[in-house]
Amino acid sequence: MLRAISQLRNWRRLVGSELHPSGLAFARARLPRAEFVQMDARHIPASEAFDLVGAFDVIEHIAEDERVLAEIRSTLVTGGGVIIAVPQHPWLWSRFDEIAYHERRYCRGELERKLRQSGFEVLFSTSYTSLLLPMMIASRLLNRGGDSNEGVSKNSRLTHASIACSRQSCAQKCVSLSRDCVGPWAVAASWSDEQSR
């Protein structure tokens, strides 16, 4: 995602972060002109340092998501913003979420409420890739294996990865066709001095 953002304009400074060293090495190889730091999003070592923060498929992995939102807010300059993408629909929970170490899938309005409680003003909130929801449902139904790991074999992980790749290749068309339906959510929010810190 950071590579795509880097191509949108000529950024003065571009910083990426990752908790795991192997993820940092992978990211550095893909985008050598960006700075990368290893950090835990619950303890961001920056204050009023960024105009924009992106958290794409991040906060659903962290039990203390509200703490992460407060940390993100503290890193932003006045008037700064955040763009967040998370998985939605708790009823789509599957073994794949467990393998990905998800803590949750979000309900409509849940992330927006948490952002407001952290002092953000929600500017935009939408579902995207909703036309792919039938594929997501099919993937979950085909790979349900009860409570055991039997339903999450190497083949089922490959099937899920194939669906994910298909989703990525279709994403731009789906975004334009499915603004407010039922796919994952993206939220943009900002804060100003008029909002209490």
Side-chain angles (χ1 to χ4, degrees), residues 2-170:
L2 190 59
R3 185 162 67 178
I5 289 171
S6 75
Q7 296 169 351
L8 294 176
R9 60 176 272 200
N10 187 17
W11 300 94
R12 185 169 48 91
R13 184 176 180 207
L14 201 57
V15 180
S17 67
E18 171 62 49
L19 179 62
H20 303 288
S22 60
L24 279 175
F26 180 76
R28 282 187 183 114
R30 290 179 53 116
L31 194 59
R33 71 178 192 89
E35 298 173 47
F36 288 95
V37 294
Q38 182 179 7
M39 63 162 220
D40 182 333
R42 296 170 299 179
H43 309 284
I44 301 175
S47 179
E48 299 180 7
F50 300 106
D51 297 315
L52 178 66
V53 172
F56 305 99
D57 297 313
V58 172
I59 66 172
E60 70 272 12
H61 296 276
I62 303 169
E64 306 95 339
D65 60 343
E66 292 174 88
R67 179 175 180 173
V68 172
L69 295 175
E71 286 288 311
I72 288 172
R73 182 155 183 244
S74 73
T75 71
L76 292 169
V77 298
T78 301
V82 61
I83 301 172
I84 300 173
V86 295
Q88 67 177 346
H89 300 312
W91 54 268
L92 275 177
W93 185 269
S94 73
R95 182 75 176 124
F96 294 116
D97 291 287
E98 295 168 14
I99 290 169
Y101 298 102
H102 286 172
E103 293 286 330
R104 75 193 62 75
R105 286 179 158 269
Y106 287 82
C107 296
R108 183 80 167 145
E110 179 182 359
L111 181 56
E112 296 88 339
R113 177 183 51 77
K114 290 178 177 183
L115 281 161
R116 286 184 187 101
Q117 289 172 344
S118 295
F120 287 99
E121 174 190 359
V122 176
L123 303 176
F124 181 76
S125 176
T126 188
S127 297
Y128 66 97
T129 67
S130 59
L131 294 176
L132 298 169
L133 183 62
M135 285 187 354
M136 293 169 65
I137 293 170
S139 168
R140 298 313 193 270
L141 292 174
L142 289 171
N143 293 302
R144 297 242 172 181
D147 291 332
S148 72
N149 288 335
E150 293 174 27
V152 188
S153 66
K154 181 178 179 186
N155 289 338
S156 66
R157 279 187 294 244
L158 289 174
T159 301
H160 188 67
S162 298
I163 289 173
C165 290
S166 298
R167 283 179 37 197
Q168 288 176 355
S169 63
C170 298

Side-chain angles (χ1 to χ4, degrees), residues 166-192:
S166 298
R167 283 179 37 197
Q168 288 176 355
S169 63
C170 298
Q172 193 157 7
K173 291 178 186 174
C174 291
V175 166
S176 65
L177 294 173
S178 59
R179 295 272 180 217
D180 295 308
C181 297
V182 289
W185 270 309
V187 177
S190 73
W191 76 275
S192 67

